[in-house]
């Protein structure tokens, strides 16, 4: 009986927790409102019961109560409700029985995770940190309490800004964390290193006094401790690399007064000790790590960190790693050969081509031989990966001394194609290497060094997609991705061979549609394969559609291809296939006005895609295809515009739509207006207010984080593209005067963005274009408004003197249009 009672209590707790939280934003807001509108007495009873449950003898009940208390705090504290919570949790934490103390600390940890730092006053933060750090102390006899305290500190670090600015408090916290990394209990050691990793990114600029001690404890953990602990110790240095790479990229290495955080060059200083420590980890491989998709172990973490170190310090790493490579690359033990190869592959991004090219020239031959002849699969897997890295970073139009020449190109292709017949994980890496080999020749014309092998490469890749084991190690996906890249980077010479590929891929797609009754697992695999094949056709359509002669020959297949795409949609009842949608966009672009004949059948799937809120990527892709269709059909789009506009307006006014789909929807208003011109008149009364309210929202960007600023700029760009398309669509039409009432608002929007000073280059170019469009379409009606506007003149001058030639060009055109409008 007791067991079922415990289960039902745990269930009640989980139901409560899920009733207060949801994944989707709009659902979450509803739940928050529902909780807040509950009767206060009821809420009071629930909260009292939860606090009482923290003392329950049943661990699961305590744990669930902790989570639910934190969820409620996440709702109530920002509303200035439940002010007594933190005080009551902390009131007598050190007199409590052990299990209650542990549950209370766990609750404080969850609370810090749920609540944002600005709703907890500093006095409470100090008390939480004191309780947590005391709970971590070696004097605390109970390990469950110490573990709960250490995990709570991890969540509380974001609250500790003021405490980390105070030397004494910071010293104390750092001492306790470093001491905890030596605890006899492995979970406490792991949690302590997790705290150090978090501190390394949150408080990078405060680390200098501790870095030597931290190096000593991380080095000891990496060499001697259990894997979960060692992994976090390596992660500390990876995290420091990430910080320094960001700082050095942002300020280009020269620190003026305005850089917020200076670079302390911790990695550079630690190099002589850090690199040998990381090289040792490379020898701790696991037997089957290549077969296991999600594998992560000390050797992989060490190699990843070594790669970050190379990106942080550049050339300095090379002489520290080369002796290890030279010593181990020919050893009889596979672990030594693999580690040496992995070390080499890891340092190829960061150091300068001048430093690496001579080494690569020596190593290349060795690697090609190893890939065909080494008896060990691990070594071959890593060798193929390293070749891919060589081609990715040291081969291409930007590199002065080519490492691939007439002399070795044939050998490279032969070895990679041979290697594509190897076991799945090696073949997958060989496909990856070929991908970067092809990509490096993207800029080459009229003839590419790969042209003589084109037929052979394509054939080999198609053979790979049919292997029995192509489902393993992402092999089939890699083969199609590589095939797409080979086609995308091919030159006119090979166009006839790309044309021959069309019926082959069409046949493959046709075969996936002849399916019998499939299990859900098989249906998922079939969907993936259809996605890969549609993706392949999309690349081929773009390639062949880009020049007139090949486009003309390709058109003989257009009807059949469109037929296949429609069948792909038909077999996926509700969800529209994203890749098929993208491929149709490419087809519309290539076929132009002739695409109109497919619209009657295709339209229902277009509408389905626009209605697909749940899979917002599908919705976004479909919105993009609306633009492709408008550009292809121009005024032949008109019969479908009512339906499309209705759906787009519905999308915009829904609170369920993911915000990332809004900018492309606004852009597509512009595409539609450009396509149908003055016929857009009947949508103005719906579209313009939507654009105006979005414009007002996007103008207020005070204290936004980077992600928000990026989103704001993409939103502004979408709005501006809409205005631009609408203004250009009405140009030279008698109905132009319908737009005059909207002109002041558009100018106000441009003013407010100029004043905010946070436009990126893309927005700037579109914005100055819209200023020109206003003058160009509305003539003298806009001229006087532009002259009166606050910042148009300054904005124009700023754009005219821009370094970005695209912005400059738009500005020159706008200047011309404005001077014409003013002189009328």
């Amino acid at each position: 009986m007791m067991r079922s009672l415990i289960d039902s209590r745990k269930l009640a707790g989980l139901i409560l927790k899920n009733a207060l939280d949801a994944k989707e934003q709009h659902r979450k807001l509803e739940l928050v409102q529902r909780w807040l509108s509950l009767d206060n007495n009821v809420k009071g009873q629930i909260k009292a019961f939860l606090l009482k449950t923290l003392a329950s003898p049943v661990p699961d009940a305590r744990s669930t109560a902790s989570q639910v208390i934190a969820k409620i705090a996440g709702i109530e504290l920002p509303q200035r409700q439940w002010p007594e919570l933190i005080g009551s949790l902390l009131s007598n934490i050190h007199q409590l029985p052990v299990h209650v103390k542990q549950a209370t600390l766990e609750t404080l940890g969850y609370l810090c995770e749920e609540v944002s730092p600005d709703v907890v006053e500093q006095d409470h933060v100090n008390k939480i940190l004191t309780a947590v750090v005391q709970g971590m102390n070696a004097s605390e006899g109970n390990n469950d309490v110490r573990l709960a305290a250490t995990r709570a500190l991890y969540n509380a670090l974001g609250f500790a800004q003021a405490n980390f600015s105070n030397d004494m408090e910071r010293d104390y916290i750092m001492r306790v964390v470093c001491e905890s990394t030596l605890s006899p209990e492995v979970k406490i050691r792991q949690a302590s290193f997790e705290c150090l990793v978090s501190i390394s990114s949150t408080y990078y600029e405060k680390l200098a006094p501790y870095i030597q001690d931290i190096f000593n404890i991380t080095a000891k953990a990496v060499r001697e401790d259990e894997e979960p602990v060692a992994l976090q110790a390596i992660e500390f240095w990876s995290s420091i690399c990430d910080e320094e790479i960001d700082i050095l990229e942002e300020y280009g290495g020269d620190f003026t007064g305005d850089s917020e955080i200076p670079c302390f060059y911790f990695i550079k200083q630690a190099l002589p000790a850090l690199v040998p420590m990381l090289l040792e980890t490379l020898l701790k491989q696991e037997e089957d790590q290549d077969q296991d998709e999600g594998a992560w172990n000390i050797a992989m973490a060490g190699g990843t960190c070594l790669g970050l170190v190379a990106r942080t310090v550049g050339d300095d790493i090379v002489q520290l790693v080369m002796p290890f490579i030279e010593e181990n690359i020919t050893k009889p033990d596979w672990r030594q050969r693999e580690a040496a190869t992995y070390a080499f592959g890891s340092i190829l991004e960061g150091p300068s081509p001048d430093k690496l090219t001579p080494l690569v020239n020596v190593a290349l031959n060795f690697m090609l031989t190893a890939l065909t002849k080494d008896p060990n699969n691990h070594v071959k897997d890593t060798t193929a990966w390293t070749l891919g890295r060589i081609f990715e970073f040291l081969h291409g139009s930007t590199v002065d001394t080519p490492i691939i020449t007439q002399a070795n190109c044939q050998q490279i292709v032969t070895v990679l194609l041979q290697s594509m017949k190897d076991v799945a994980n090696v073949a997958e890496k060989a496909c990856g290497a070929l991908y970067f080999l092809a990509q490096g020749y993207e800029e080459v014309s009229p003839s590419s060094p790969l042209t003589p092998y084109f037929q052979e490469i394509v054939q080999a890749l198609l053979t790979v997609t049919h292997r029995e084991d192509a489902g393993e190690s992402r092999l089939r996906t890699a083969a199609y991705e590589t095939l797409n890249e080979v086609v995308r980077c091919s030159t006119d010479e090979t166009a006839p061979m790309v044309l021959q590929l069309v019926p082959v891929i069409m046949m493959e797609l046709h075969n996936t549609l002849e399916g019998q009754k499939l299990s859900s697992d098989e249906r998922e695999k079939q969907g993936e394969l259809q996605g890969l094949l549609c993706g392949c056709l999309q690349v081929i359509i773009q390639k062949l559609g880009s020049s007139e002669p090949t486009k003309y020959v390709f058109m003989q297949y257009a009807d059949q291809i469109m037929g296949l795409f429609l069948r792909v949609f038909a077999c996926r009842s509700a969800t529209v296939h994203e890749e098929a949608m993208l491929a149709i966009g490419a087809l519309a672009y290539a076929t132009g006005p002739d695409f109109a004949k497919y619209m009657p059948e295709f339209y229902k799937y277009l509408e389905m895609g626009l209605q697909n809120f749940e899979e917002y990527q599908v919705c976004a892709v479909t919105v993009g295809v609306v633009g492709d269709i408008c550009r292809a059909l121009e005024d032949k789009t008109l019969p479908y515009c009512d339906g499309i506009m209705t759906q787009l307006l519905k999308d915009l006014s829904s609170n369920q739509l993911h915000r990332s789909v809004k900018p492309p929807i606004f852009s597509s208003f512009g595409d539609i207006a450009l396509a149908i011109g003055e016929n857009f008149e009947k949508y103005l009364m719906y579209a313009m207010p939507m654009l105006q309210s979005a414009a007002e929202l996007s103008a207020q960007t005070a204290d936004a984080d980077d992600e928000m600023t990026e989103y704001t700029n993409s939103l502004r760009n979408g709005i501006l593209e809409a205005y631009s398309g609408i203004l250009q669509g009405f140009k030279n039409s008698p109905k132009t005067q319908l737009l005059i009432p909207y002109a002041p608002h558009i100018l106000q929007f441009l003013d407010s963005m100029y004043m905010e000073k946070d436009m990126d280059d893309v927005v700037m170019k579109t914005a100055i274009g819209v200023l020109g469009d206003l003058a160009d379409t509305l003539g003298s009606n806009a001229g006087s408004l532009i002259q009166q506007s606050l910042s148009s003149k300054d904005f124009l001058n700023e754009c005219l003197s821009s370094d970005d030639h695209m912005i400059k060009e738009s500005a020159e055109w706008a200047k011309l249009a404005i001077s014409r409008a003013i002189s009328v």
Side-chain angles (χ1 to χ4, degrees):
M1 180 61 205
M2 185 62 194
R3 187 70 230 155
S4 65
L5 189 68
I6 290 173
D7 282 346
S8 62
R9 278 197 17 201
K10 185 173 178 189
L11 190 66
L14 284 172
I15 289 168
L16 236 179
K17 183 175 144 211
N18 292 334
L20 296 169
D21 196 15
K23 294 275 182 285
E24 289 90 10
Q25 203 48 43
H26 66 98
R27 182 89 184 92
K28 200 168 180 165
L29 292 171
E30 283 169 31
L31 293 172
V32 168
Q33 285 319 116
R34 261 177 47 197
W35 171 262
L36 289 172
S37 61
L38 275 181
D39 175 67
N40 280 338
N41 290 337
V42 176
K43 279 191 292 202
Q45 282 171 330
I46 293 176
K47 293 192 295 201
F49 170 71
L50 286 165
L51 288 168
K52 214 169 79 192
T53 310
L54 290 180
S56 157
V58 183
D60 275 351
R62 296 199 299 273
S63 185
T64 304
S66 294
Q67 293 173 53
V68 180
I69 290 170
K71 291 282 178 214
I72 295 174
I75 296 172
E76 295 204 349
L77 293 183
Q79 309 275 344
R80 302 264 171 265
Q81 297 177 15
W82 211 2
E84 71 281 7
L85 168 66
I86 293 174
S88 66
L89 285 171
L90 292 168
S91 59
N92 55 350
I93 188 161
H94 294 295
Q95 282 79 58
L96 296 171
V98 166
H99 70 280
V100 190
K101 198 170 182 179
Q102 179 261 333
T104 308
L105 286 165
E106 191 178 340
T107 308
L108 288 168
Y110 287 133
L111 184 131
C112 292
E113 199 176 10
E114 287 294 331
V115 178
S116 85
D118 49 3
V119 300
V120 181
E121 53 205 68
Q122 187 58 42
D123 178 45
H124 274 153
V125 172
N126 296 344
K127 286 182 176 151
I128 292 174
L129 284 169
T130 305
V132 166
V133 176
Q134 279 179 352
M136 288 172 69
N137 236 323
S139 59
E140 169 58 60
N142 183 284
N143 275 342
D144 291 342
V145 172
R146 286 188 69 183
L147 181 60
T150 311
R151 288 181 174 163
L153 178 67
Y154 177 82
N155 287 325
L157 283 167
F159 290 69
Q161 298 288 354
N163 312 81
F164 261 79
S165 301
N166 172 316
D167 294 353
M168 268 180 55
E169 294 185 32
R170 183 180 64 243
D171 284 345
Y172 180 56
I173 295 172
M174 290 301 291
R175 199 189 79 224
V176 171
V177 173
C178 290
E179 281 170 4
S180 301
T181 64
L182 307 171
S183 159
E185 172 56 47
V186 61
K187 283 185 169 155
I188 295 177
R189 295 200 300 278
Q190 181 184 347
S192 307
F193 275 113
E194 282 169 8
C195 288
L196 278 180
V197 172
S198 173
I199 290 168
S200 70
S201 59
T202 317
Y203 300 111
Y204 167 83
E205 72 283 6
K206 302 269 193 270
L207 280 176
Y210 316 106
I211 203 82
Q212 185 59 56
D213 290 340
I214 294 175
F215 181 81
N216 297 339
I217 53 182
T218 51
K220 188 171 159 47
V222 170
R223 292 197 167 107
E224 297 166 17
D225 211 329
E226 294 178 43
E227 184 173 84
V229 184
L231 286 173
Q232 289 304 318
I234 296 171
E235 185 58 36
F236 173 85
W237 292 102
S238 292
S239 169
I240 295 281
C241 288
D242 286 333
E243 291 304 308
E244 298 198 343
I245 289 168
D246 282 352
I247 295 169
L248 294 170
E249 272 178 4
E250 203 163 317
Y251 307 115
D254 47 332
F255 298 111
T256 44
D258 65 344
S259 66
E260 294 169 31
I261 297 178
C263 183
F264 286 96
Y265 296 101
F266 292 137
I267 299 295
K268 202 172 186 154
Q269 289 157 20
L271 266 189
L274 180 60
V275 171
M277 169 181 100
L278 293 172
L279 291 172
E280 272 176 47
T281 64
L282 303 185
L283 294 158
K284 300 184 179 175
Q285 308 93 327
E286 283 171 6
E287 288 290 344
D288 53 352
Q289 64 184 42
D290 299 330
Q291 271 68 41
D292 174 11
E293 276 278 290
W296 186 246
N297 56 44
I298 292 188
M300 296 167 87
T304 304
C305 187
L306 192 64
L308 288 165
V309 171
R311 286 177 52 202
T312 312
V313 300
D315 289 357
D316 292 350
I317 197 170
V318 177
Q319 74 264 25
L320 290 167
V321 175
M322 284 318 289
F324 176 85
I325 297 172
E326 285 156 4
E327 189 192 332
N328 289 292
I329 196 87
T330 52
K331 282 287 199 302
D333 179 358
W334 72 266
R335 288 179 182 278
Q336 290 173 287
R337 298 197 304 282
E338 195 275 338
T341 313
Y342 190 18
F344 191 53
S346 298
I347 62 167
L348 291 168
E349 184 188 6
S352 63
D354 295 346
K355 187 85 175 168
L356 291 171
T357 305
L359 301 172
V360 168
N361 283 329
V362 176
L364 194 58
N365 238 338
F366 185 91
M367 299 259 159
L368 292 168
T369 312
L371 188 51
T372 42
K373 299 222 162 66
D374 199 290
N376 181 278
N377 276 337
H378 280 277
V379 178
K380 287 196 275 194
D381 180 297
T382 306
T383 303
W385 172 78
T386 299
L387 283 167
R389 303 257 302 172
I390 290 174
F391 301 152
E392 182 179 2
F393 299 113
L394 297 170
H395 154 61
S397 54
T398 51
V399 182
D400 300 335
T401 10
I403 48 167
I404 301 171
T405 55
Q406 266 342 120
N408 62 13
C409 188
Q410 178 170 8
Q411 186 200 0
I412 291 172
V413 173
T414 309
V415 167
L416 291 178
L417 298 191
Q418 182 60 39
S419 185
M420 277 155 47
K421 301 185 179 123
D422 211 323
V423 292
N425 56 299
V426 175
E428 188 263 337
K429 303 283 193 309
C431 288
L434 187 56
Y435 176 99
F436 289 114
L437 182 66
Q439 194 178 71
Y441 288 126
E442 186 181 353
E443 308 292 326
V444 192
S445 65
S447 174
S448 157
L450 290 184
T451 298
Y453 317 108
F454 187 83
Q455 192 77 41
E456 216 184 324
I457 290 172
V458 168
Q459 199 41 62
L461 287 163
L462 289 172
T463 307
V464 170
T465 64
H466 291 169
R467 280 174 52 156
E468 289 291 310
D469 59 356
E472 293 168 29
S473 296
R474 281 189 72 253
L475 179 55
R476 182 178 287 113
T477 308
Y480 277 116
E481 284 173 354
T482 303
L483 178 60
N484 295 353
E485 197 62 8
V486 168
V487 169
R488 196 181 67 77
C489 299
S490 61
T491 57
D492 291 347
E493 298 175 289
T494 43
M497 292 182 247
V498 177
L499 264 167
Q500 290 169 6
L501 196 52
V502 179
V504 177
I505 303 290
M506 282 169 60
M507 195 62 211
E508 302 259 328
L509 187 53
H510 175 81
N511 292 340
T512 66
L513 295 162
E514 296 301 295
Q516 313 65 41
K517 285 270 173 275
L518 297 176
S519 69
S520 66
D521 194 32
E522 289 169 321
R523 182 167 302 117
E524 193 181 331
K525 287 204 175 92
Q526 176 205 41
E528 274 173 35
L529 180 56
Q530 287 171 349
L532 292 168
L533 292 163
C534 289
C536 186
L537 283 169
Q538 179 195 345
V539 173
I540 294 173
I541 292 166
Q542 285 165 331
K543 190 75 199 173
L544 296 173
S546 63
S547 77
E548 284 307 316
T550 51
K551 182 153 117 177
Y552 180 74
V553 189
F554 166 74
M555 279 311 148
Q556 61 180 339
Y557 295 113
D559 289 1
Q560 286 167 281
I561 288 186
M562 189 65 190
L564 284 170
F565 291 153
L566 291 169
R567 285 182 61 196
V568 170
F569 286 139
C571 74
R572 293 281 297 268
S573 49
T575 55
V576 170
H577 211 301
E578 201 175 327
E579 285 86 355
M581 193 55 92
L582 283 164
I584 286 176
L587 189 65
Y589 188 80
T591 42
D594 293 346
F595 191 81
K597 63 181 172 184
Y598 306 127
M599 282 301 287
E601 260 199 279
F602 170 54
Y603 180 71
K604 67 173 178 211
Y605 298 113
L606 186 72
E607 199 163 51
M608 254 160 74
L610 294 177
Q611 286 163 354
N612 197 340
F613 288 153
E614 284 66 42
E615 299 171 294
Y616 65 89
Q617 291 93 336
V618 175
C619 189
V621 164
T622 311
V623 171
V625 171
V626 167
D628 293 329
I629 288 171
C630 289
R631 284 184 282 279
L633 299 187
E634 294 181 330
D635 56 353
K636 289 188 185 169
T637 323
L638 195 56
Y640 304 98
C641 285
D642 280 3
I644 291 173
M645 280 300 291
T646 304
Q647 197 48 56
L648 292 175
L649 291 163
K650 213 188 237 163
D651 285 353
L652 282 176
S653 50
S654 154
N655 62 353
Q656 295 174 24
L657 185 72
H658 195 272
R659 68 177 193 184
S660 65
V661 192
K662 290 187 174 170
I665 290 180
F666 288 133
S667 283
S668 69
F669 285 177
D671 295 326
I672 292 168
L674 271 175
I676 63 173
E678 61 178 35
N679 294 304
F680 195 82
E681 172 192 359
K682 60 175 166 182
Y683 309 126
L684 284 174
M685 58 185 284
Y686 306 105
M688 284 312 218
M690 287 243 175
L691 285 164
Q692 283 186 13
S693 61
E696 278 157 25
L697 270 178
S698 83
Q700 304 145 0
T701 57
D703 47 72
D705 56 15
D706 291 353
E707 196 184 319
M708 193 60 200
T709 308
E710 197 176 312
Y711 174 70
T712 301
N713 272 317
S714 78
L715 186 61
R716 290 166 170 176
N717 202 49
I719 296 165
L720 291 165
E721 284 181 342
Y723 284 145
S724 179
I726 292 167
L727 285 163
Q728 289 175 41
F730 277 83
K731 194 186 168 180
N732 300 333
S733 134
K735 295 186 177 167
T736 314
Q737 79 277 1
L738 292 171
L739 298 180
I740 295 171
Y742 302 111
H745 185 275
I746 296 177
L747 278 165
Q748 204 182 323
F749 179 44
L750 293 173
D751 273 338
S752 69
M753 281 192 304
Y754 180 71
M755 301 299 186
E756 282 282 343
K757 294 277 182 251
D758 59 356
M759 281 185 277
D760 60 22
D761 287 354
V762 180
V763 174
M764 212 158 187
K765 179 186 167 302
T766 324
I768 199 65
V770 168
L771 189 63
D773 290 326
L774 268 171
D776 193 38
T777 298
L778 298 178
S780 57
N781 293 309
S784 53
L785 285 168
I786 291 174
Q787 278 177 301
Q788 293 156 22
S789 91
L790 296 171
S791 63
S792 295
K793 197 172 175 182
D794 297 343
F795 182 37
L796 183 63
N797 287 335
E798 194 174 310
C799 291
L800 284 167
S801 57
S802 167
D803 304 336
D804 185 317
H805 74 101
M806 307 276 285
I807 294 179
K808 201 168 176 167
E809 219 170 275
S810 289
E812 311 256 328
W813 174 81
K815 183 182 176 179
L816 199 70
I818 293 168
S819 63
R820 280 202 303 260
I822 289 172
S823 64
V824 176

